Every structure is written in C-alpha cells, then in structure tokens.
Amino acid sequence: MNNMASLSSSSSRDAKPGFWKKNSNNVPLPGSIKPVYGAQHPPPYTDVTTPGWPHKKDDKSKNNKRDAFQEFENKTSDAWDDGDDDLMEMANLRLSLKDVHSSARVVLDNHSKRTQAANRQQQQASAAASKAPAPSKDNGANSPSPPSMSPSHVPPHHHPTGPGLGVRQGGGGYQPPKMTSIRYVTDKLPDRETSKIDKFKALFKEPSLDLGDLRKLCWSGIPKAVRPTAWKILSGYLPTAADRRQEILERKRKEYFGYIDQYYETRYQELHEETFRQILKDIPRMTSLAHLFQEKAVQEIFERILYIWAIRHPASGYVQGINDLVTPFFVVFLSEYIENDIEVENCDLTELSQATRDVIEADSFWCMSKLLDGIQDNYTFAQPGIQMKVNALRELIKRIDAPMFNHLEQQGVEFLQFSFRWMNNLLMREIPLRCTIRLWDTYQAEVNGFADFHLYVCAAFLKRFSEDTLREHDFQGILMLLQNLPTLHWRDKEMSELLAEAYKLKYMFADAPRHLLLKS
C-alpha cells in the first residue's frame, strides 16, 4: 500500500492547484466538529431542545471563511447525496403536501413507464430472435453476428426494481416494522452451522489462540453464534490468551463507565457543546436501522459512545460518518443476547436488563475505537486518508475497467463525488446492514482490512455496476445511479462474489504493486 499511496498522490496532479488546500491557522479545538465534505452537506443550524442546554447566540463570523473544497462543493451541489442534510434544508421550505405527492408521483410514473417500455422492447427482440431462421451449420461465414447488447439488457446479478436503494427506501414514506417481543438466545443451532461453530469454539479454548488460524476461519464468514467473541478478538479488544479475557472485559467495561462519570457532564460546556449538538442531530437520521434509533434508550447509548470517543480523540473530534460505524458492533453484540433480527424486527430494548445494555454499550465503544485507530487519518484535519483512497480508487479503475473510466471522464464525473461516502462510511450507506456485517467479518480477518482491503472492495463494487454506468449517458444519470445503487436485495451470495473479486484485485495489485505503476 505504500506504493499505492505514492501512486495516489501522483494521480492528484490532474486536480486543480490548491484543491485540498486549507487554512492552516484554522486548527480545530479538541473535541470539535469537522463536517464530512461531499457525502453530506453540513446541516443548517437548528436549535436542539435539550433540558439544561445553555443558550448561545449565533456567531455569523464563522461562516465567512471558505476554502477551495467548499467552493468546489457549492459548484457541484447537485452531485452530492440528498439523503440527509439537504432534506433538513428542504424541510424549511413551505411546500404543500399535495405538491410534494404529485411531484413524487410524476417521477415514479416516468420511471415505471420507461421500465415497462424497456421490458416490451426486450420481449419483442426475444420474440423476433425466436422466429428468425437458424444459421447454417456448414457456412459460418454467412451466419449473422451475435446481437449487440440492447439498452434494456440487465445483467442477471442486478435487481430489476426501482431507480436505486435510496429512492426506493424513500418512496411512499418510511414504515417501521411491527413491534415484536424480545426472544432470548438459546443453544439450538442449525445443523449446517454446527461443524463450523465447533471449530471456532475449539479455537477459543486454546490457551494461546493463533490469530492466523482465526483469520482463515473468519474470512469466509462467521456464524452468528460465535461472531461477538470473534470480533472482539480480531479487533484487539480481547487478548488471544483465554485465561485473561474475562479479566480484560471487566476492567475495560469499568474503565469506559469511568470515562462517562468523568467526561459526560462536560457535553454542555462551551468548548464541547457543538460536538454534542451535532451528535444529537445525526443519531436520529441514521438510516440503517431507522426504527431502532427512534428508541430513547438506544439514542442515549449512541450519544455517550460518540461523545466519549470525540473527547478522547481531539485530533479528529467527532465527524459525520463515525456515527454509522458504531451500528454493526452494537447489533452484533446485541445478538449475543437476543434472537430477534433487528434489521427487520422492531423490539423494545428496554426489556433487556440495564446491566446487559451496559455490557453491549461498553463493548461497542471499545471495538469501534479499535477500528478507528486504524483509519483515523480518514477523519483528521483535511481527511488525508480519504483523499489518498479516492485517488487510489480512480487509478485502480483506470487499470481494470478502462471503458467505464473513460465514460466517467467524458461525462465530467469525479470519483470524489460518489466514492467519498464509500470511504467515509465504509459502504454502510450503499448496502444493507446484514451485508455490512458479513463484509466486516472479512475486513477483520484481513490485516488492516478497513484501511487497505476496503479499497479493493470499492473497486470491485464499482466494477460490478460497470454495464449499468455505461448505459447512463449524462452526468446526472450517472450520479443518481452511483449514489443509489440497487443493493437492497443483496445477501451473503452477492457479498461472497464481491469479496472474491476484491481478493483477486488485491492479489494482482497489492501483492504486486508494480502492476499499478506501469503507464497505461
């Protein structure tokens, strides 16, 4: 990856001079916020009604400083995700509900008509092909050439519904799952998983576990029953020595709640109030488990985790996007106690004891902290880690899929405009939560998986939708596709295919970096 880093910096010569230049004097205070550029606009100021919150007058002078990146962002405002912060701005506009519904209906009807027309065209082409005489077997020269791919052709691995994940989720209004009672974990396991689980349990019982063996076992996916323990060991939260694990768990959980007692009361102080205010805004807008984050008990858990992390990491502070990275850990550690599928079921987590919720909270904090320790340059000043990865992705696609790369270049689509969010949120906004958890099984099995292997997963992810991208013939169409990819139906099969392709790319380039240094 060192060569990849040098390559990434060299590929940035195509960018405008000073594109990433920042005012070096504008150094943030410890624990302060730096908004995510690109993937989400910094939301407009709205007052958060919180008991005990001190009132503070707006400081308009803070908005006078602008950098080159913000100017670029404003010039391409239609290229960014409208999923969160733009909706907050739109909420301030006075629009009648009738106008909103009619506009949405027009968009959906137009898309439906285009889809139906494409399907009819494909059916007509198939009917014509079936009626055509078969080519002569003894005269290959006169045989007709194979038909070219029609615009309506959809690769078999693509879901044929809707304009994209984000559009489909937003259509018709959000409907939370029905409330179900909590079902506690039992020892009953599916027969197909029993053998693999036995291998994990035997490995966990070894006096000094071999991390290499655990990584090999985890790469192809971890059974739900043993995933919490495997993640804690792979992340570095638990030691490999079996006799020290319980002692470490008790000490680290106590240490976390010591931080709560020491720092959490400072959230209303002037130095930290903006950090906490931003956390309060972001948590209810987390889309992966919208119904879960409406529960006050869950919101408070995430508020404490994110605030304590920001206070303890003043080099970066809290950045939009970090809030998403807590969710997989929280859901996996919750699955240690309940059988409910949190992704599709709505249940009241206050039915769990306070002690159980405290354990889940502390473990989620420490594992998220371990993850972010490996990718913290994604969130420090000017976010150099993301800059490097976006440039590396651009160069990688240029090598492995020249037609799509050239198409993006011709239409003026910058990789930053769609892949920033992929790097910042580790693809969590692009795929369902169940797929994120499966993806993280492999990331944690890879050495520096979140920092290094993620690049190859993003390249394989983009290449998978190459044909769809080539069928879009304008800037807006390409951006709408790449920001709302149809992955809502994805499960383990699609993730296994994606990871296999990413592994091939890693084998070709990371293990033989000179391939990327060759001029095209």
Side-chain angles (χ1 to χ4, degrees), residues 281-299:
K281 289 179 184 177
D282 289 347
I283 291 173
R285 299 203 301 257
M286 293 167 67
T287 57
S288 54
L289 291 174
H291 56 281
L292 183 65
F293 294 115
Q294 302 309 310
E295 292 189 26
K296 184 174 177 58
V298 176
Q299 289 183 6

Side-chain angles (χ1 to χ4, degrees), residues 220-445:
S220 59
I222 307 173
K224 181 180 177 181
V226 293
R227 182 177 279 130
T229 302
W231 276 27
K232 290 171 189 175
I233 296 174
L234 290 171
S235 67
Y237 174 41
L238 283 185
T240 55
D243 59 348
R244 295 181 55 228
R245 288 177 199 150
Q246 189 59 37
E247 173 196 346
I248 294 292
L249 279 176
E250 293 174 0
R251 179 169 61 81
K252 298 298 282 186
R253 290 165 181 169
K254 183 177 180 181
E255 185 178 348
Y256 168 71
F257 284 101
Y259 291 145
I260 297 291
D261 295 339
Q262 184 177 358
Y263 297 118
Y264 197 57
E265 288 301 319
T266 66
R267 64 193 184 278
Y268 298 127
Q269 294 179 3
E270 183 176 359
L271 181 63
H272 304 302
E273 64 177 355
E274 277 301 316
T275 296
F276 191 62
R277 191 188 301 275
Q278 189 64 51
I279 290 171
L280 291 181
K281 289 179 184 177
D282 289 347
I283 291 173
R285 299 203 301 257
M286 293 167 67
T287 57
S288 54
L289 291 174
H291 56 281
L292 183 65
F293 294 115
Q294 302 309 310
E295 292 189 26
K296 184 174 177 58
V298 176
Q299 289 183 6
E300 290 174 349
I301 287 173
F302 275 66
E303 288 165 12
R304 289 191 291 267
I305 289 174
L306 294 170
Y307 181 74
I308 296 302
W309 188 89
I311 291 298
R312 297 188 69 247
H313 296 82
S316 63
Y318 172 72
V319 177
Q320 287 174 307
I322 293 178
N323 52 320
D324 282 330
L325 305 185
V326 186
T327 307
F329 291 115
F330 180 79
V331 172
V332 166
F333 298 150
L334 181 63
S335 71
E336 199 169 3
Y337 300 94
I338 66 174
E339 290 283 0
N340 304 66
D341 185 349
I342 294 299
E343 191 172 14
V344 297
E345 292 185 61
N346 197 357
C347 54
D348 185 1
L349 296 189
T350 57
E351 293 180 27
L352 292 172
S353 68
Q354 184 62 52
T356 298
R357 282 180 279 153
D358 287 348
V359 164
I360 296 170
E361 177 179 345
D363 292 349
S364 299
F365 169 82
W366 286 114
C367 287
M368 182 204 72
S369 298
K370 293 290 186 180
L371 184 161
L372 289 172
D373 285 347
I375 58 171
Q376 194 167 355
D377 60 347
N378 285 7
Y379 306 104
T380 52
F381 183 69
Q383 298 178 279
I386 290 182
Q387 294 179 38
M388 181 194 75
K389 290 182 179 69
V390 169
N391 287 331
L393 177 64
R394 180 181 184 276
E395 197 64 33
L396 189 54
I397 293 297
K398 185 177 180 180
R399 296 289 190 270
I400 66 174
D401 196 336
M404 179 171 61
F405 177 84
N406 293 332
H407 185 57
L408 296 176
E409 290 282 296
Q410 290 166 4
Q411 298 301 326
V413 178
E414 296 287 343
F415 276 70
L416 181 73
Q417 292 164 338
F418 61 87
S419 65
F420 184 96
R421 187 173 70 185
W422 300 6
M423 304 301 178
N424 186 70
N425 299 79
L426 297 177
L427 289 177
M428 282 196 61
R429 295 293 179 103
E430 321 309 319
I431 57 178
L433 179 62
R434 60 181 176 273
C435 295
T436 296
I437 291 174
R438 169 63 190 90
L439 179 64
W440 285 25
D441 286 346
T442 300
Y443 279 176
Q444 297 201 79

Side-chain angles (χ1 to χ4, degrees), residues 424-491:
N424 186 70
N425 299 79
L426 297 177
L427 289 177
M428 282 196 61
R429 295 293 179 103
E430 321 309 319
I431 57 178
L433 179 62
R434 60 181 176 273
C435 295
T436 296
I437 291 174
R438 169 63 190 90
L439 179 64
W440 285 25
D441 286 346
T442 300
Y443 279 176
Q444 297 201 79
E446 285 276 335
V447 178
N448 297 324
F450 292 98
D452 299 340
F453 191 62
H454 180 65
L455 168 66
Y456 301 100
V457 171
C458 288
F461 187 64
L462 180 56
K463 192 175 186 297
R464 188 179 181 93
F465 295 97
S466 178
E467 294 177 0
D468 303 84
T469 305
L470 291 173
R471 285 197 298 272
E472 298 291 343
H473 299 297
D474 58 56
F475 177 90
Q476 183 178 3
I478 294 172
L479 260 295
M480 285 188 65
L481 170 69
L482 294 179
Q483 292 180 345
N484 300 283
L485 290 166
T487 60
L488 194 60
H489 71 294
W490 277 26
R491 294 193 178 275

